[in-house]
Amino acid sequence: MNKFKIFSLALVATTIAKAQDLEPAKKAIDAEQFEKAKSLLKSVIQTKPSSGKAAFLLGNIYLKQNIADSASIYFQKGLSASDGAKFNNIGLGQMDLDANNKTAAQAKFNLVTKDLKKKDTEEYIYIARAYMNADKPDYASAITVLTKAATANPTDPQVQLALGDAYYGEKKQNEAYVAYRNAYQADSSLIRAKMQLGVLLKGAKAYTEAVKAYNEVIGINPNYGPVYRELAETYYLWGNNVPSTYTENIQKALGFYEKYMSLTDYSITSRMRHADFLILAKDYKALEVEANKMKELDGVNPRILRYLGYSAYENGNPDAALDALQKFISNPSSKIIPRDYLYLGQAKIKKGTSEDGKTVDPALLASAIEDIKKAVDMEPLATNELNELGKKLYDQKAFGAAAAVFEIAVTNPTSKNYLIDNFYLGNSIYYDNTRKDLVKPDPIALQKADVAFGNVITASPTTQDAYIFRARTNTLLENDEMMATYYQQYIDVVTAKGEAEVTKNKAKFIESYNNIAAHYANSDKAKAIEFFNKTLALDPANNYAIESLKLLK
């Protein structure tokens, strides 16, 4: 009996020792010090090849860093370990989820859970996180798995933390709050749970309260890196949602992200996360510096070309942007996102734009429009990004190119800029068809303009300029009946807004009266005379009205 007790105690001691071997790595992972964690785990594997858990944790880091080949190597190695081998089925299951093979993933998860003891929760937590960390997160399945774990051990802080993350992913704020609070109450050293309470406030746009919550975390541990990343993201969102604070808050955001980097690591993957944030913050000078540093560290990683391309375009070097982006997109190992095609298209337009900005090389424009269409085909919400490009071309008076961009923008009725993009589309086409060098207006394009103005009027009936530009467009289409109708509608809408608005738009009223009168000149002389007299009431010296009345009388 004594021997059995001694053996049992030795087994417990060995189990505790193995767990302690992994604790520094787990703490480094939580602190997002991934390179440090990788080094620690490789050391454990080297000294204890039997540690399947160490292989699993290391593979998980590689998955987080989008290095799937290395992740797979360690998961496969971990499967043959004598201790904790089953955890590696969770990692391989996540890779199945990434490959959209949920059946294969579930089979691997079942292998992990089939012999679990009643109080075991760790395996459930990692399975739930596999669902959450997959390329297409499945928070509902994660909640189902974690509910089993919570039933077995409701006070497990890691179960509650994972539940909070799953509920947050499902946009169930109240449930997430309760879970994070429970996790922190169960283990006050689990400051990630406390930090997540600030993340909930950030999501609710309660930025002041979120910053206060993060500062409480800093008060507990000023070297906890992730809280500075959250501060950076909070100030970024604050600046974007409250434009008057943009300049100040973006600078704060960039400063906090630098602090985050200094407390985590400057590895290539961390630099890429930093680069992604610099894109959000629109700090393209810093992005170019970061991209070149990454190139020095890893000259073969294709993703660096994305950052070089984006920054080159934004910093006024379309040739370098084209070179980098074309190399990136043509690389079979590159994971293309819609923004890549948007930047490639913009670079081609910038490259082909004339010195005066009014014309774009037709071949480059056509190629650019195809790239932009690819971006929108991949993600319809990419249309939200086109307004700025279209307006830039419009302001340069490159109306044909602007029209081509806005025509893609309005293909998505749910775009946040749908109304204004339709207006700019109509105007771009109208002005492109009133160029001095134009031989003859394009009726097909003008019909698109008419539809675009109609879309504006349907969505916003009081947008007065949509009526007058629709009237002008129908003049070019030689559709006098509709031209007169829209001029009259313009008059009605502006008149309804009051005398001050009419006075402000006196010239457009004269234009409307004269055109309506001209329409009636051959069919209803009395009406024509009536409208010419309305013109003279506003402008007694109007030569066109005076001369036209002479002819009518």
Side-chain angles (χ1 to χ4, degrees):
M1 187 69 178
N2 288 336
K3 286 183 180 179
F4 179 75
K5 285 183 178 178
I6 292 168
F7 175 76
S8 298
L9 288 170
L11 181 61
V12 170
T14 302
T15 303
I16 292 171
K18 287 177 179 176
Q20 287 174 339
D21 285 342
L22 298 177
E23 281 309 304
K26 285 184 176 180
K27 287 181 180 178
I29 291 169
D30 178 64
E32 298 177 18
Q33 296 169 337
F34 297 119
E35 293 308 308
K36 178 181 177 181
K38 281 160 68 175
S39 178
L40 289 168
L41 290 166
K42 286 176 182 178
S43 179
V44 172
I45 292 169
Q46 187 174 8
T47 56
K48 295 183 179 178
S50 61
S51 179
K53 182 80 166 292
F56 165 68
L57 292 173
L58 183 53
N60 256 2
I61 295 174
Y62 279 114
L63 270 189
K64 190 179 286 289
Q65 295 180 329
N66 294 312
I67 309 173
D69 290 347
S70 295
S72 180
I73 289 169
Y74 281 102
F75 292 144
Q76 293 294 344
K77 185 175 182 178
L79 279 178
S80 62
S82 60
D83 180 45
K86 62 183 178 180
F87 282 96
N88 292 278
N89 277 312
I90 301 174
L92 292 168
Q94 184 182 327
M95 295 185 76
D96 286 332
L97 292 174
D98 291 341
N100 293 316
N101 192 343
K102 192 170 182 178
T103 302
Q106 188 60 58
K108 290 182 176 66
F109 297 155
N110 289 342
L111 289 173
V112 177
T113 59
K114 67 176 182 177
D115 296 322
L116 287 185
K117 295 175 183 177
K118 186 176 180 181
K119 289 286 186 178
D120 288 344
T121 57
E122 190 175 22
E123 290 84 353
Y124 285 122
I125 292 168
Y126 281 120
I127 290 170
R129 292 210 173 277
Y131 279 118
M132 289 189 272
N133 294 333
D135 288 345
K136 295 179 181 177
D138 183 352
Y139 298 108
S141 292
I143 291 169
T144 300
V145 171
L146 289 166
T147 301
K148 292 179 184 177
T151 302
N153 191 351
T155 60
D156 185 323
Q158 289 293 340
V159 170
Q160 292 299 321
L161 175 62
L163 263 174
D165 293 341
Y167 282 129
Y168 180 66
E170 277 283 89
K171 295 181 170 55
K172 294 181 177 180
Q173 301 286 94
N174 292 336
E175 291 90 338
Y177 174 83
V178 171
Y180 289 138
R181 183 195 62 195
N182 289 345
Y184 188 65
Q185 286 177 346
D187 180 1
S188 61
S189 70
L190 193 58
I191 60 172
R192 180 170 285 271
K194 185 171 180 60
M195 181 184 76
Q196 290 301 116
L197 294 171
V199 172
L200 291 175
L201 292 166
K202 175 187 74 174
K205 298 183 180 181
Y207 302 121
T208 301
E209 293 80 2
V211 169
K212 182 180 177 182
Y214 298 142
N215 284 334
E216 290 177 3
V217 174
I218 292 169
I220 298 168
N221 184 354
N223 294 318
Y224 188 63
V227 73
Y228 296 100
R229 174 179 50 74
E230 291 296 346
L231 273 166
E233 293 177 6
T234 299
Y235 277 110
Y236 162 75
L237 291 170
W238 195 345
N240 275 276
N241 282 285
V242 185
S244 62
T245 71
Y246 182 83
T247 301
E248 178 186 356
N249 282 338
I250 289 299
Q251 288 307 307
K252 287 182 179 179
L254 292 168
F256 280 120
Y257 209 99
E258 288 292 340
K259 177 75 171 176
Y260 165 71
M261 292 284 288
S262 72
L263 290 168
T264 52
D265 58 55
Y266 285 91
S267 65
I268 192 72
T269 50
S270 294
R271 287 184 181 277
M272 285 181 178
R273 287 200 305 274
H274 186 211
D276 289 334
F277 187 78
L278 290 172
I279 292 168
L280 288 176
K282 299 182 180 179
D283 190 343
Y284 299 109
K285 295 291 184 186
L287 177 64
E288 189 165 15
V289 171
E290 188 70 286
N292 281 301
K293 285 180 181 176
M294 285 190 280
K295 189 177 180 181
E296 291 174 10
L297 287 171
D298 186 354
V300 297
N301 192 312
R303 190 166 150 193
I304 296 168
L305 291 167
R306 169 186 289 156
Y307 304 126
L308 288 169
Y310 289 12
S311 58
Y313 170 78
E314 296 289 354
N315 294 329
N317 191 345
D319 290 315
L322 281 171
D323 180 63
L325 290 169
Q326 285 171 336
K327 285 178 180 175
F328 175 70
I329 289 173
S330 63
N331 190 320
S333 65
S334 296
K335 289 186 177 180
I336 312 300
I337 60 174
R339 193 182 294 273
D340 299 329
Y341 283 116
L342 284 179
Y343 265 103
L344 180 60
Q346 290 180 96
K348 288 177 180 177
I349 289 172
K350 184 173 278 191
K351 167 75 174 173
T353 301
S354 62
E355 285 189 20
D356 63 4
K358 294 182 180 181
T359 60
V360 180
D361 177 86
L364 279 172
L365 177 61
S367 181
I369 293 302
E370 287 305 309
D371 291 325
I372 293 169
K373 284 179 180 176
K374 287 177 185 176
V376 172
D377 287 342
M378 288 176 71
E379 174 50 78
L381 287 177
T383 51
N384 290 333
E385 308 293 322
L386 300 181
N387 181 265
E388 186 177 346
L389 172 62
K391 282 173 68 176
K392 189 183 296 183
L393 292 165
Y394 183 89
D395 291 341
Q396 292 170 187
K397 301 189 186 307
F399 296 118
V405 172
F406 284 120
E407 191 171 351
I408 301 171
V410 301
T411 58
N412 179 14
T414 65
S415 167
K416 67 179 181 180
N417 302 310
Y418 182 71
L419 181 65
I420 192 68
D421 285 347
N422 267 285
F423 186 78
Y424 272 110
L425 171 60
N427 268 21
S428 297
I429 293 172
Y430 172 76
Y431 284 123
D432 194 46
N433 279 272
T434 55
R435 300 192 323 265
K436 291 179 180 179
D437 63 336
L438 191 69
V439 176
K440 185 179 179 182
D442 179 352
I444 294 175
L446 288 166
Q447 285 164 7
K448 291 178 182 177
D450 182 68
V451 171
F453 289 128
N455 289 336
V456 176
I457 290 166
T458 299
S460 179
T462 59
T463 303
Q464 59 205 48
D465 280 355
Y467 293 97
I468 200 161
F469 274 101
R470 197 174 193 185
R472 292 168 179 172
T473 298
N474 276 272
T475 299
L476 294 176
L477 283 167
E478 299 180 359
N479 188 340
D480 288 354
E481 187 70 37
M482 296 312 300
M483 173 269 292
T485 298
Y486 297 130
Y487 271 125
Q488 183 60 60
Q489 288 176 358
Y490 171 78
I491 292 166
D492 295 341
V493 167
V494 178
T495 301
K497 293 181 180 181
E499 190 60 37
E501 192 67 23
V502 173
T503 302
K504 192 165 66 176
N505 289 280
K506 176 181 170 182
K508 290 177 181 176
F509 265 68
I510 292 169
E511 174 190 338
S512 300
Y513 289 145
N514 279 346
N515 278 285
I516 293 172
H519 167 64
Y520 284 119
N522 293 322
S523 60
D524 190 335
K525 286 188 177 183
K527 270 189 173 292
I529 291 168
E530 175 191 345
F531 279 98
F532 279 131
N533 281 329
K534 288 183 177 182
T535 294
L536 293 175
L538 292 174
D539 179 14
N542 188 275
N543 188 61
Y544 179 74
I546 293 169
E547 294 302 317
S548 295
L549 281 171
K550 287 179 182 177
L551 293 173
L552 287 170
K553 293 176 181 178

